[in-house]
Amino acid sequence: MLDLKKIRENPDEVLKLLHQRNTDYQLQPILDLDSQQREMQSVRTELQARSNEIGKIIGEKMRQVGANPQREKIQNLKEEGNQVKAKLAQLEPEERELKAKLEALLLELPNLPSETTPMGKNETENIEVRRWGDEFIPDGSHILPHGEIGEKLGIIDSQRAVKVAQSRFVALIGMGAALERALINFMLDRQIEAGYIEVMPPVLINSEALKGTGQLPKFAEESFKCENDDLWLTPTAEVPVTNLYSQEILEGEKLPIYHCAYTPCFRREAGSYGRDMRGLIRLHQFNKVELIKLVRPETSAEEHEKMVNNAEAILQALKLPYRVIELCTGDIGFSAAKCYDLEVWLPSANTYREISSCSNCHDFQARRANIRFKDKGKKGTDYVHTLNGSGLAVGRTMAAILENYQQCDGTIKVPDVLQSYVKTDCIG
RNA sequence: GGAGAGGUGGCCGAGCGGUUGAAGGCGCAGCACUGGAAAUGCUGUUUGGGGGUAACUUCAACGAGGGUUCGAAUCCCUCCCUCUCCGCCA
């Protein structure tokens, strides 16, 4: 959520930044509602002050003289109290409605891009920051797409998974399951070494949590919802882990907080019919190890770079070629002020595919989820900055391994760092 | 799922219709005392919105939302959550 005060005081600047996202958001309705609301508030506040005053006077009189004498004066005051109350009863719902409308509009506004986010209208204007591991790019001529080789080796079974669920689900069998589990453990072990505290959060989460990180109200159709409860299947661990701290005032010295979390993630993938129908790239359920940070505002840019490095370290350890993309203003996500994507080399497609997305949300989520910090001895509070990044998407990492480590005989070499986890050096 | 208890400030804990943003204690900060410290004493110590350059001022908040009342932390209703016992269960 954007700072209403900032919108009020610098509407032109805010609007300019919003438009960098290549959208046509309007601020005027918000500004109008805001000034109406504030006007109404000052009227209401005065009435309430009078009402409080009447209550006090009556209280005093009752105590001084008991209930008996001066009854008339008290009656008059009570009468006035009733009149004030009647006016308030009229004003209050109106003001509440204004506030609700204002809030609804504010919740629909995306974050402002960071001043360091490159300008651009869509993904074609993203910037490649660096590339790693060109020397590990295999000769692609013999390489089968990961889905195909996986089915062939009997470690991915999508046909049977469809019977149990529907399309865009897979079952991992035998070494497939083992490799997935190995990747999860490996990623967690590395990130814990890098200083992240592991969390196993709920994966069924309520609406408030989704609102806190920005998935609601705008993107309801992206998530699976339980019919009988206010619970949703988490689309990413970012949601439950960040919201662990909602409504809290953290002690300044407890920051930064680093968390990593393995969870399955669930996404409806509405609007992507027909895309990536084979393999592990786009599933309704996939595993991910997520990195989450809550930091002091002045350190968030630096913490963001470090987080990207932590994600890259996994790809480097696995010797998977990748590149780092800095998303432009037209392509960053709703909650992000700045975002880097990591894209891994997929030889069968002869292209890089997103395997991690690392966002700095500044105080956008912290405002929605109301996560603040306070320094001892200083007065007042400030919103933390929240960051999240995949470290990494496990299914896509598996896909990358099945392709980049595919050998001419159709077997898969197990990356060195995983061999102790799966207890073999070759699959197939 | 059934029965009961409860949700108050950073924490513990009182208050159960009248000036209570909230006693008391702990913690924390400042000052005094001290050679220095402990102990002691004094003072201060929530958050959010509005107005004001500021000093300051005003409103709101005792799980959430309604209701009764001139006035609610206190009474009534609904919901949420926590705990205990029973049942069920990985």
Side-chain angles (χ1 to χ4, degrees):
Chain A
M1 188 142 67
L2 300 182
D3 184 2
L4 181 56
K5 210 176 272 176
K6 186 170 177 181
I7 295 177
R8 183 150 72 217
E9 283 161 12
N10 306 298
D12 296 338
E13 189 198 328
V14 171
L15 199 59
K16 196 182 108 204
L17 287 167
L18 282 175
H19 285 169
Q20 289 179 2
R21 283 178 170 268
N22 201 23
T23 53
D24 61 347
Y25 289 99
Q26 297 301 312
L27 291 180
Q28 202 52 49
I30 289 177
L31 292 169
D32 291 345
L33 283 172
D34 177 48
S35 73
Q36 277 179 55
Q37 190 275 122
R38 277 192 303 156
E39 207 171 302
M40 207 170 270
Q41 173 173 343
S42 80
V43 176
R44 192 206 72 221
T45 298
E46 266 174 54
L47 285 171
Q48 280 172 332
R50 178 58 187 159
S51 169
N52 289 343
E53 199 181 355
I54 291 169
K56 271 181 197 170
I57 297 170
I58 293 178
E60 255 168 72
K61 286 204 189 319
M62 301 275 277
R63 199 127 33 78
Q64 274 172 18
V65 297
N68 200 5
Q70 304 216 28
R71 254 202 272 132
E72 210 169 293
K73 274 193 182 160
I74 290 178
Q75 262 328 110
N76 287 343
L77 281 168
K78 283 190 180 182
E79 186 49 42
E80 191 188 343
N82 273 325
Q83 285 168 10
V84 170
K85 197 162 62 162
K87 280 187 208 154
L88 280 171
Q90 204 180 351
L91 269 181
E92 273 170 353
E94 278 182 54
E95 193 189 343
R96 222 175 306 142
E97 199 182 325
L98 277 179
K99 268 196 159 150
K101 275 189 197 162
L102 188 56
E103 160 106 354
L105 288 180
L106 281 173
L107 284 174
E108 300 267 326
L109 289 182
N111 202 357
L112 304 178
S114 153
E115 61 272 24
T116 63
T117 293
M119 212 81 95
K121 57 179 183 303
N122 57 41
E123 71 276 2
T124 62
E125 299 189 48
N126 292 341
I127 290 170
E128 181 176 319
V129 181
R130 56 183 171 271
R131 230 175 241 236
W132 183 93
D134 279 359
E135 67 273 28
F136 298 115
I137 290 181
D139 162 26
S141 52
H142 67 285
I143 293 176
L144 294 174
H146 68 274
E148 214 169 300
I149 190 79
E151 301 277 355
K152 212 169 194 169
L153 292 169
I155 62 175
I156 298 175
D157 193 333
S158 29
Q159 283 191 2
R160 290 194 173 105
V162 167
K163 291 196 293 183
V164 183
Q166 60 178 59
S167 68
R168 289 204 192 285
F169 285 87
V170 299
L172 299 175
I173 313 282
M175 284 312 293
L179 186 58
E180 181 91 355
R181 191 156 45 83
L183 280 168
I184 293 167
N185 280 330
F186 168 70
M187 289 176 190
L188 282 172
D189 287 349
R190 286 294 171 107
Q191 301 302 3
I192 289 165
E193 255 170 64
Y196 294 82
I197 312 276
E198 186 180 358
V199 178
M200 277 208 184
V203 297
L204 288 184
I205 54 177
N206 60 36
S207 304
E208 200 52 33
L210 285 154
K211 192 176 106 186
T213 32
Q215 284 76 13
L216 284 179
K218 239 190 150 175
F219 306 102
E221 70 288 348
E222 304 276 349
S223 294
F224 289 102
K225 174 149 181 32
C226 297
E227 201 176 354
N228 295 323
D229 302 279
D230 177 29
L231 290 170
W232 306 63
L233 278 68
T234 187
T236 160
E238 164 201 350
V239 183
V241 175
T242 304
N243 280 288
L244 242 27
Y245 297 96
S246 68
Q247 311 300 326
E248 290 194 32
I249 299 176
L250 303 164
E251 287 172 37
E253 64 234 51
K254 297 263 170 72
L255 298 177
I257 294 172
Y258 286 16
H259 282 311
C260 60
Y262 152 67
T263 66
C265 301
F266 304 91
R267 297 186 184 177
R268 294 194 60 239
E269 299 297 344
S272 65
Y273 303 109
R275 268 199 286 158
D276 306 311
M277 288 310 290
R278 288 163 184 281
L280 304 174
I281 296 300
R282 192 179 299 276
L283 298 172
H284 287 309
Q285 174 185 342
F286 61 97
N287 294 312
K288 185 153 61 74
V289 169
E290 185 77 359
L291 306 175
I292 294 98
K293 289 186 178 184
L294 284 75
V295 308
R296 305 180 68 92
E298 65 272 17
T299 64
S300 77
E302 182 192 330
E303 293 284 4
H304 189 202
E305 301 294 329
K306 277 160 63 183
M307 179 181 265
V308 175
N309 294 153
N310 294 139
E312 289 180 69
I314 303 295
L315 288 166
Q316 292 177 10
L318 292 168
K319 297 195 170 75
L320 291 170
Y322 68 90
R323 60 181 189 179
V324 181
I325 302 292
E326 187 172 8
L327 301 196
C328 72
T329 53
D331 199 33
I332 51 174
F334 182 78
S335 298
K338 188 180 178 69
C339 182
Y340 293 104
D341 277 0
L342 266 43
E343 296 183 341
V344 71
W345 180 252
L346 281 191
S348 75
N350 200 38
T351 184
Y352 288 95
R353 285 304 297 258
E354 178 184 337
I355 196 169
S356 171
S357 188
C358 298
S359 300
N360 183 352
C361 299
H362 287 177
D363 62 0
F364 184 80
Q365 295 179 326
R367 282 180 189 281
R368 291 175 157 245
N370 199 18
I371 308 173
R372 293 169 290 169
F373 71 97
K374 178 175 165 53
D375 286 318
K376 256 204 181 115
K378 278 193 204 161
K379 66 173 177 190
T381 60
D382 198 4
Y383 290 102
V384 301
H385 279 195
T386 60
L387 295 85
N388 66 80
S390 345
L392 307 161
V394 180
R396 289 188 180 185
T397 307
M398 165 104 87
I401 290 171
L402 293 182
E403 298 194 4
N404 286 285
Y405 280 82
Q406 206 177 114
Q407 305 180 105
C408 295
D409 61 359
T411 62
I412 311 294
K413 182 179 180 294
V414 175
D416 295 343
V417 293
L418 294 181
Q419 289 179 9
S420 63
Y421 288 88
V422 294
K423 299 181 177 68
T424 177
D425 58 5
C426 185
I427 295 172

